[in-house]
Amino acid sequence: MEIVTHFVNDSIEFYKWSLSIADKRVEKWPLMESPFPTLAISILYLLFLWLGPKYMQHREPFQLRKTLIVYNFSMVILNFYICKELYLGSKAAGYSYRCQPVNYSDDVNEVRIAAALWWYYLSKGVEYLDTVFFILRKKFNQVSFLHVYHHCTMFILWWIGIKWVAGGQSFFGAHINAAIHVIMYLYYALAAFGPKIQKYLWWKKYLTIIQMIQFHVTIGHAAHSLYIDCDFPQWMHWALIGYAVTFIILFANFYYQTYRRHPRQERAPKGGKAVANGSSAVTNGISKAEAKQAAAENGKTQKKGRSKQE
């Protein structure tokens, strides 16, 4: 018991010390004063993962076509804004892509970059809705380990990033990821329109490839910074490398299972393809087969007077 007490006390002291070296510019920003709001949202997310399927088990799935269209286009706009702000802010501040220490000053460009990174962190919380939509539509098989791991860890880890390093080298990974998410959510938004649009969306496979390239580039950038001894917290670089490696393994496994081991399953009927949302490992569009199924379900439920609307 004494060992546990010492561990708790040491942890509390370490947390207090870490707050003393945190970025003072962001401490009063929404959700940044304490980690508990972020952790509470993440715990609620995990609870919904458990309770949501139970609630929907004996209920008809929601279609949510219009909701998905609005949501995905909103995410396109948000990620484009983040990408644009990071690019313009870093360019105005004269950022180096080789080594860029964090500048904790109130310089207008530095604050602009910090604000863009905060919006990036917030977007990871908004992306929890990807899972909510899956469950409400009873797409339980799409809530894979990769999907949950990606969504839950990104929101929590980026709170740490914004709290201590809202600038400097942090802009690089967020900039690339936001740009990729513009393409991804545009794909999902178009796919949500149905089979008439889906037949033109032949590039699902390449989204996964782009994501894996992103992780390799991120590892290379962090390793280069370590090699030249860049004035940026080294533990952050090592953590980023380890984290990116887990994604490479998970996404490579998804790519193999989807496009190599079972390539024929990717051949959808003419006019529609399975589409993805949140990460390339999960879907959030409406395929032609799904549209036919939804039409049949709607016809059946209308006869019983129990059809569901958005």
Side-chain angles (χ1 to χ4, degrees):
M1 186 64 183
E2 185 178 351
I3 295 176
V4 174
T5 302
H6 278 297
F7 176 77
V8 172
N9 290 335
D10 289 344
S11 298
I12 293 173
E13 290 302 316
F14 176 78
Y15 176 68
K16 290 180 178 178
W17 170 80
S18 67
L19 290 180
S20 68
I21 61 172
D23 191 338
K24 303 303 180 183
R25 299 172 302 172
V26 306
E27 62 182 358
K28 298 301 181 181
W29 292 7
L31 302 178
M32 293 311 304
E33 191 168 359
S34 165
F36 295 114
T38 299
L39 292 175
I41 294 170
S42 299
I43 290 171
L44 289 174
Y45 168 74
L46 294 175
L47 284 174
F48 186 81
L49 283 173
W50 176 50
L51 296 175
K54 296 180 182 295
Y55 174 79
M56 292 298 300
Q57 186 174 7
H58 301 295
R59 291 174 170 80
E60 293 294 327
F62 293 91
Q63 300 308 313
L64 303 178
R65 183 186 296 270
K66 293 180 180 178
T67 302
L68 289 174
I69 292 172
V70 173
Y71 168 72
N72 286 313
F73 273 121
S74 297
M75 294 303 290
V76 169
I77 294 171
L78 177 57
N79 280 281
F80 179 80
Y81 170 78
I82 294 168
C83 187
K84 183 260 298 182
E85 286 294 290
L86 286 174
Y87 173 74
L88 295 179
S90 61
K91 184 177 180 181
Y95 267 32
S96 168
Y97 282 87
R98 296 184 67 249
C99 173
Q100 183 60 51
V102 183
N103 184 340
Y104 295 102
S105 72
D106 291 323
D107 176 80
V108 62
N109 293 313
E110 294 294 341
V111 174
R112 183 180 188 179
I113 294 169
L117 290 173
W118 179 87
W119 278 107
Y120 178 76
Y121 146 76
L122 188 67
S123 74
K124 299 308 167 187
V126 176
E127 286 178 10
Y128 280 162
L129 290 175
D130 289 349
T131 313
V132 173
F133 295 145
F134 284 141
I135 292 175
L136 293 179
R137 296 169 60 222
K138 299 187 76 168
K139 302 296 180 183
F140 305 141
N141 62 313
Q142 304 299 343
V143 186
S144 63
F145 174 78
L146 170 56
H147 176 86
V148 176
Y149 174 74
H150 167 258
H151 282 67
C152 204
T153 55
M154 285 290 283
F155 188 47
I156 295 172
L157 293 178
W158 268 98
W159 183 88
I160 297 174
I162 304 305
K163 187 68 175 178
W164 280 277
V165 286
Q169 295 284 83
S170 299
F171 91 102
F172 182 80
H175 191 192
I176 294 177
N177 191 252
I180 292 174
H181 274 67
V182 170
I183 302 172
M184 286 174 54
Y185 279 106
L186 178 61
Y187 178 93
Y188 310 141
L190 294 174
F193 281 100
K196 290 184 179 180
I197 300 296
Q198 288 174 17
K199 63 184 178 181
Y200 300 108
L201 303 178
W202 46 266
W203 29 289
K204 173 193 174 184
K205 174 181 179 179
Y206 300 99
L207 292 175
T208 305
I209 295 175
I210 291 173
Q211 286 173 311
M212 288 193 290
I213 292 174
Q214 167 198 203
F215 301 133
H216 283 87
V217 171
T218 301
I219 290 174
H221 183 257
H224 175 73
S225 296
L226 288 170
Y227 177 75
I228 65 175
D229 196 22
C230 182
D231 187 16
F232 189 85
Q234 290 195 357
W235 67 270
M236 288 248 178
H237 281 317
W238 285 114
L240 178 60
I241 291 173
Y243 189 52
V245 167
T246 64
F247 275 125
I248 289 174
I249 294 171
L250 291 171
F251 273 88
N253 177 67
F254 164 74
Y255 185 87
Y256 171 75
Q257 296 293 337
T258 304
Y259 302 109
R260 297 298 184 185
R261 187 176 180 181
H262 305 296
R264 292 183 180 180
Q265 294 181 3
E266 282 300 305
R267 296 178 183 176
K270 292 182 179 180
K273 293 183 180 180
V275 294
N277 199 11
S279 73
S280 291
V282 290
T283 62
N284 189 359
I286 301 174
S287 66
K288 185 176 181 180
E290 181 183 341
K292 289 181 179 179
Q293 180 184 358
E297 290 176 351
N298 286 340
K300 182 179 178 181
T301 53
Q302 285 174 2
K303 290 180 181 179
K304 295 180 180 180
R306 294 184 290 108
S307 62
K308 289 198 173 187
Q309 300 179 359
E310 291 188 2

